[in-house]
Amino acid sequence: MRLIVLFGDSMLGRFTKARIDQFEDETGADAVVMNCAAGGWTSRDGARRAPTLARLAPDVVVLSFGMNDCAPERLVDIDSFAANLRSIVEAFPNADVLGFLPPSVVEQEGIGPRGRTNSGLEPYREVLRDSVSPSRAMDTDAVLAPLVASGVPVHVDGMHLTDEAYRCLITALAKLVDAS
């Protein structure tokens, strides 16, 4: 059995049963996915919970943090964010740790949901990418680019993703897991 843990904010927290089933199917018959992500979590929440979660001894951990860390009402400064991610990654020394980079938000008049901006989100995406290494990070914007180019909406609220977007991302994530 290959244990894959999803750990982070609502980007992974929204992996419903159907999405987990798709992910397990696409990563192989021996894959078991545990969703340990929750809407609203920041990297502080992750750093606090990582040592306990590490006791499961997962083979793969997929991290998604940054979307809430950059939100003005929950702001985790970038240095603290980097320290939190180091702590999270270090909690899983025997696992392949991958990154699910937060997607860009839809901005109206330069501001996205709850005051987030893409320019404010980008440093958090970079820190997550660097924390797991660029080859182990899935650039959600790049995966979603063909949908966006064809006019298919990828957001339900300017931040969270549509079913179609998740279908594409799960396929890409399964390929990243299989390559790890």
Side-chain angles (χ1 to χ4, degrees):
M1 176 187 74
R2 188 167 163 198
L3 179 58
I4 302 168
V5 170
L6 305 177
F7 188 39
D9 55 26
S10 61
M11 296 300 131
L12 293 176
R14 288 180 176 229
F15 269 53
T16 60
K17 178 183 179 348
R19 291 177 183 147
I20 290 171
D21 288 346
Q22 177 193 348
F23 189 37
E24 287 177 339
D25 289 345
E26 292 193 28
T27 53
D30 68 333
V32 172
V33 175
M34 300 283 297
N35 194 343
C36 299
W41 277 3
T42 68
S43 61
R44 284 186 195 117
D45 297 298
R48 187 172 139 248
R49 290 166 172 84
T52 301
L53 187 56
R55 293 182 193 152
L56 292 173
D59 300 294
V60 177
V61 179
V62 180
L63 301 178
S64 178
F65 290 101
M67 185 66 80
N68 295 316
D69 296 86
C70 78
E73 78 274 10
R74 295 187 194 136
L75 188 64
V76 175
D77 69 82
I78 198 70
D79 292 333
S80 297
F81 179 70
N84 291 338
L85 284 182
R86 272 192 304 279
S87 173
I88 293 167
V89 170
E90 289 170 1
F92 301 99
N94 299 316
D96 290 321
V97 182
L98 309 176
F100 184 98
L101 302 182
S104 295
V105 297
V106 175
E107 294 180 359
Q108 295 180 357
E109 299 178 18
I111 304 291
R114 292 191 177 160
R116 292 169 180 89
T117 63
N118 289 315
S119 63
L121 177 59
E122 187 57 31
Y124 293 84
R125 292 167 51 98
E126 289 301 319
V127 168
L128 177 54
R129 180 183 285 117
D130 291 345
S131 295
V132 299
S133 91
S135 66
R136 300 166 84 88
M138 186 179 74
D139 186 341
T140 55
D141 286 346
V143 174
L144 296 175
L147 289 179
V148 172
S150 67
V152 174
V154 297
H155 294 93
V156 294
D157 61 2
M159 179 174 61
H160 295 101
L161 302 168
T162 63
D163 289 337
E164 182 66 24
Y166 272 114
R167 278 191 288 281
C168 293
L169 291 170
I170 289 168
T171 296
L173 186 58
K175 288 178 184 174
L176 184 62
V177 167
D178 288 342
S180 66

